[in-house]
Amino acid sequence: MGNPNYSIIEINGPGNDSSNSNKDHSKNAKQFTWILLRASGFLGCFATFLLSFPRIIKKRLSIKTKPTGKGSLLSKFIKGFLLLCLATLAFELVGYVNGWHLSRFRNPNLHMPEIRGWLHYAYLSWVSFRANFVAYPIQLASNVCVILFVIQSVDRLVQCLGWFWIKLKGIKPRIENNPFQEKDGTGTGSEYPMVLVQIPMCNEREVYEQSIGAVCKLDWPKDRLLIQVLDDSDDDSIMSLIKSEVTKWCEQGVNIIYRHRLVRKGYKAGNLKSAMSCDYVRNYEFVTIFDADFQPSPDFLKRTIPHFMGNPDLGLVQARWSFINKDENLLTRLQYINMCFHFEVEQQVNGVFLNFFGFNGTAGVWRIKALEDSGGWRERTTVEDMDIAVRAHVNGWRFIFLNDVKVLCEVPESYEAYRKQQHRWHSGPMHLFRLFLPSIINSKIPIWKKANLVLLFFLLRKLILPLYSFMLFCIILPLTMFVPEAELPVWVICYVPVILSLLNVFPAPKYFPFVIPYLLFENTMSVTKFNAMLSGLLQLGSSYEWIVTKKAGRSSEAAQTEKRTMKDDNSKDLTKGDTLKVTKMNKIYKKELALALLLLVAAIRSLLSARRIHFYLLLFQGAAFLLVGLDLIGEQIS
């Protein structure tokens, strides 16, 4: 219990029974006092939190709120559903107070009791209607979601078993006879292939300097390396800063050029397509892409390019992302769990057993011939990386994922930035699926590859997952509280999700304490993912919306030290009147708030049915929606 006077030697020492007995009583008293102090401290902290929570909410609501515009169809549906549940709860409370909720009134086949007024008659009619007409469709929808949930759980379990097998056998891509073993990269030998490095960016004020600096330090012969800074910025001040940074490295002998488009057509895909159309690109064999917040290590090319040697059918080598700011706040920690599972399990397992996975859009090396053979970059969706990866796979090119080659980058620190990123990542695949389905069916690849692309890659992991998550935890679970005749198994809503969350955290064991917050937050994000999936599948206006993810400008530890030193030096020149005022913007998310109230109302209804585990689940899930809806997770937008 942490008592320094407590030791095994004192307990087991012979010949001092009476003294030991007195000591034991003394120690027990001390331990009991220690437990009471710890318990009282915990209860005090918890009470303080409960008392301060309304003040925090009031403070957040008092901040200037960013207008959100007209509500979407999904938002209107959730609000209407909430009003219906509130009315039903009020009706159920009246029936509960008057004792009309007893079991004999819930079975319409039993003898109808004596009517005690019009309200009593209305309640009995509602119970009969609920049992005969409402329960069946809800139970049917529940069973469908349970089946989808089981299928997705089996897929997740198979992926985890594949990951355990890879760890057990030590399976990973290896390089034989690496021609680039020497540390000196200044040579001009023909064994070094021509490599093109592209840095697409758009108004990246926070990260342009560190990304360009990291790429310019790549250990590769300068005459066999060309760096393209592909700037789509529409801010003249940012364009000037990026030009100055490129000029600085160019004067140091780095082969780097600056390209700017006047019209940002096709977003990132259009930017890359425009850069690949340059005449000098034909002299290069490989192209590697780094987004503006990525900072590769100097040996990145020497650890990736050798895998292409002797593998003419290898089209892509993808490196893993490593996050600088993963411990910045709760939001970044939860994102890290998700991204760690994506790279450690999904990408690695698919790379080892299928030689195919979705290109992550950055930190990867492409064989230019594979890009050209697959039709090059296309501007038809916002997931140009997935588009080119699927086309290359259909054309017979293999992929390799390197789990031990990591590139530093950032995860969004504000919920608004993360929400917009997730919307693009989940609407784009469904939009691509609509466009690409006929090509997959008519392709000449083996039938098992078609099944993997259509059933697993697109339908199960991109469509079914957000569909059943939203329907199961946000719609059907609250409905079953108001319609007790339709039941949802406890193992579906509690036990299996917790087990799957534990499997998700296995690749990041340090974050096991965040298993429950991770599960609640993923259920909360199902609203955004479901909305994005529908917009992509139905090809709504927001399916082709690209908003650049807000960066914080985090850099490596060494770079941060250097920046702090420069900042301290510059601060000496500031006068006392020079102050920097930062205005923070708070945004209220109406769909999340409506769902928070809906789940809390369902939690109250569950008390009437004596469903304790449902009550706790609905209570905690409603609290998670409330925190997200009030923008109390992550950083505020500045």
Side-chain angles (χ1 to χ4, degrees):
M1 303 297 291
N3 191 333
N5 297 323
Y6 183 93
S7 70
I8 297 177
I9 296 177
E10 291 177 346
I11 291 177
N12 294 334
N16 293 316
D17 296 338
S18 60
S19 60
N20 286 342
S21 177
N22 294 332
K23 289 181 180 180
D24 288 343
H25 287 299
S26 176
K27 290 164 193 171
N28 290 336
K30 291 180 180 179
Q31 291 167 13
F32 183 70
T33 304
W34 180 83
I35 293 174
L36 289 178
L37 290 175
R38 293 296 297 269
S40 61
F42 172 77
L43 293 176
C45 293
F46 186 69
T48 303
F49 171 76
L50 291 179
L51 293 175
S52 62
F53 189 67
R55 178 176 53 83
I56 295 173
I57 294 178
K58 183 179 179 181
K59 181 179 179 182
R60 296 288 283 187
L61 292 176
S62 65
I63 303 176
K64 184 180 178 182
T65 303
K66 186 177 179 180
T68 57
K70 296 182 179 179
S72 63
L73 184 61
L74 179 62
S75 179
K76 294 177 181 178
F77 168 76
I78 294 174
K79 292 176 183 177
F81 188 34
L82 171 61
L83 293 177
L84 179 62
C85 290
L86 283 172
T88 306
L89 176 63
F91 200 29
E92 293 283 353
L93 286 174
V94 172
Y96 190 86
V97 171
N98 291 277
W100 303 339
H101 64 288
L102 299 179
S103 59
R104 67 175 183 272
F105 298 138
R106 296 177 57 183
N107 192 338
N109 297 322
L110 296 178
H111 176 69
M112 183 69 68
E114 181 183 355
I115 303 300
R116 304 175 185 173
W118 67 269
L119 190 60
H120 188 195
Y121 177 78
Y123 181 81
L124 293 176
S125 300
W126 155 244
V127 171
S128 178
F129 176 78
R130 185 180 71 190
N132 292 327
F133 300 102
V134 181
Y136 178 74
I138 294 178
Q139 190 65 57
L140 182 62
S142 173
N143 294 338
V144 171
C145 286
V146 169
I147 293 173
L148 297 178
F149 172 72
V150 170
I151 294 174
Q152 193 271 334
S153 301
V154 171
D155 175 66
R156 183 64 56 89
L157 180 60
V158 169
Q159 287 183 324
C160 291
L161 292 176
W163 175 67
F164 282 122
W165 181 259
I166 291 173
K167 289 293 182 182
L168 181 63
K169 297 295 183 178
I171 302 174
K172 67 176 182 178
R174 304 182 187 277
I175 304 173
E176 296 182 2
N177 301 322
N178 188 355
F180 314 126
Q181 289 288 350
E182 63 275 10
K183 297 181 180 180
D184 184 12
T186 59
T188 60
S190 59
E191 68 274 7
Y192 287 90
M194 299 288 285
V195 178
L196 177 67
V197 181
Q198 296 176 331
I199 314 176
M201 58 178 61
C202 179
N203 297 326
E204 305 282 4
R205 181 188 297 271
E206 296 83 7
V207 294
Y208 77 92
E209 185 178 359
Q210 60 200 41
S211 63
I212 294 176
V215 170
C216 289
K217 295 177 183 177
L218 287 172
D219 187 9
W220 201 256
K222 294 182 179 180
D223 60 336
R224 309 193 73 79
L225 180 70
L226 174 63
I227 301 172
Q228 287 181 321
V229 178
L230 312 176
D231 186 21
D232 267 2
S233 303
D234 54 9
D235 189 322
D236 292 337
S237 62
I238 299 178
M239 291 168 54
S240 177
L241 292 172
I242 298 174
K243 286 180 181 178
S244 300
E245 185 69 15
V246 171
T247 302
K248 182 187 76 173
W249 287 102
C250 189
E251 291 174 351
Q252 297 181 19
V254 178
N255 194 11
I256 182 173
I257 59 175
Y258 174 86
R259 297 186 83 254
H260 179 264
R261 296 192 304 164
L262 297 177
V263 180
R264 195 188 174 206
K265 180 183 177 182
Y267 302 114
K268 182 180 176 181
N271 200 359
L272 295 173
K273 181 179 179 180
S274 174
M276 293 299 293
S277 64
C278 298
D279 293 335
Y280 55 79
V281 173
R282 68 185 63 176
N283 298 323
Y284 291 84
E285 186 177 356
F286 303 102
V287 57
T288 181
I289 304 168
F290 296 107
D291 283 351
D293 59 317
F294 280 71
Q295 306 168 48
S297 59
D299 62 345
F300 176 83
L301 294 178
K302 289 189 174 182
R303 300 180 66 184
T304 54
I305 297 293
H307 289 277
F308 289 96
M309 307 306 170
N311 295 309
D313 60 341
L314 182 61
L316 168 67
V317 173
Q318 173 71 59
R320 179 176 175 170
W321 300 0
S322 178
F323 305 101
I324 300 174
N325 60 338
K326 62 180 181 293
D327 293 320
E328 193 66 26
N329 54 46
L330 177 60
L331 177 62
T332 59
R333 289 183 173 93
L334 299 179
Q335 289 180 74
Y336 178 72
I337 294 174
N338 212 7
M339 297 301 292
C340 190
F341 181 86
H342 170 69
F343 286 106
E344 185 85 14
V345 179
E346 294 177 341
Q347 297 291 76
Q348 189 171 203
V349 169
N350 291 331
V352 169
F353 295 104
L354 300 177
N355 288 320
F356 166 73
F357 45 81
F359 174 46
N360 294 118
T362 177
V365 183
W366 276 95
R367 191 189 297 271
I368 295 181
K369 182 181 178 182
L371 290 178
E372 296 174 347
D373 182 54
S374 305
W377 299 105
R378 295 182 182 176
E379 307 164 2
R380 55 184 182 176
T381 69
T382 57
V383 284
E384 76 295 328
D385 46 6
M386 184 180 295
D387 189 359
I388 187 63
V390 173
R391 283 187 278 120
H393 178 60
V394 170
N395 288 330
W397 292 97
R398 295 191 305 109
F399 300 168
I400 284 180
F401 176 74
L402 301 179
N403 191 54
D404 56 346
V405 179
K406 301 179 181 180
V407 181
L408 290 175
C409 63
E410 291 185 15
V411 289
E413 296 183 10
S414 70
Y415 177 70
E416 173 69 7
Y418 179 63
R419 185 169 174 265
K420 291 178 178 178
Q421 181 198 70
Q422 292 299 304
H423 186 277
R424 187 177 80 247
W425 285 5
H426 286 81
S427 65
M430 287 296 97
H431 188 191
L432 178 64
F433 180 65
R434 281 175 54 99
L435 299 173
F436 210 77
L437 181 59
S439 300
I440 296 176
I441 295 176
N442 297 326
S443 64
K444 297 180 181 180
I445 61 176
I447 188 67
W448 68 270
K449 287 188 177 182
K450 294 182 182 180
N452 175 62
L453 281 174
V454 175
L455 299 179
L456 294 180
F457 187 75
F458 279 112
L459 288 181
L460 182 60
R461 297 165 189 166
K462 309 299 180 185
L463 187 147
I464 290 178
L465 179 58
L467 173 64
Y468 91 78
S469 297
F470 173 74
M471 292 299 297
L472 196 63
F473 293 99
C474 300
I475 302 298
I476 295 178
L477 177 60
L479 269 177
T480 56
M481 297 299 102
F482 295 95
V483 185
E485 293 80 6
E487 295 185 359
L488 197 60
V490 175
W491 62 268
V492 173
I493 61 175
C494 183
Y495 302 135
V496 175
V498 171
I499 294 174
L500 292 179
S501 298
L502 287 171
L503 292 177
N504 272 35
V505 183
F506 259 114
K510 177 183 174 183
Y511 295 85
F512 267 106
F514 299 95
V515 168
I516 300 302
Y518 170 76
L519 173 61
L520 297 175
F521 181 69
E522 283 300 300
N523 292 338
T524 306
M525 285 303 301
S526 65
V527 184
T528 299
K529 296 176 181 179
F530 176 78
N531 190 26
M533 181 270 293
L534 280 185
S535 66
L537 191 63
L538 302 178
Q539 211 164 351
L540 303 178
S542 60
S543 64
Y544 198 69
E545 180 184 19
W546 185 297
I547 300 176
V548 178
T549 304
K550 181 70 176 176
K551 315 292 193 314
R554 307 288 181 185
S555 56
S556 61
E557 187 175 351
Q560 286 180 356
T561 304
E562 182 179 355
K563 285 185 177 181
R564 282 195 296 267
T565 304
M566 295 175 62
K567 184 177 179 181
D568 293 340
D569 294 339
N570 294 333
S571 63
K572 297 177 181 179
D573 299 330
L574 295 176
T575 60
K576 294 183 179 180
D578 295 333
T579 59
L580 180 63
K581 184 178 180 180
V582 178
T583 304
K584 291 190 174 182
M585 188 77 71
N586 187 41
K587 187 171 182 179
I588 303 300
Y589 301 97
K590 297 180 180 179
K591 287 194 292 290
E592 284 77 3
L593 281 181
L595 281 169
L597 295 177
L598 172 64
L599 292 170
L600 294 176
V601 168
I604 297 174
R605 178 62 181 86
S606 68
L607 291 177
L608 303 182
S609 303
R611 298 185 179 183
R612 294 184 179 179
I613 192 167
H614 294 77
F615 167 74
Y616 292 117
L617 177 62
L618 289 166
L619 178 64
F620 292 140
Q621 191 63 69
F625 270 103
L626 183 63
L627 292 174
V628 171
L630 294 174
D631 199 11
L632 290 171
I633 183 172
E635 301 296 330
Q636 289 179 298
I637 305 171
S638 59

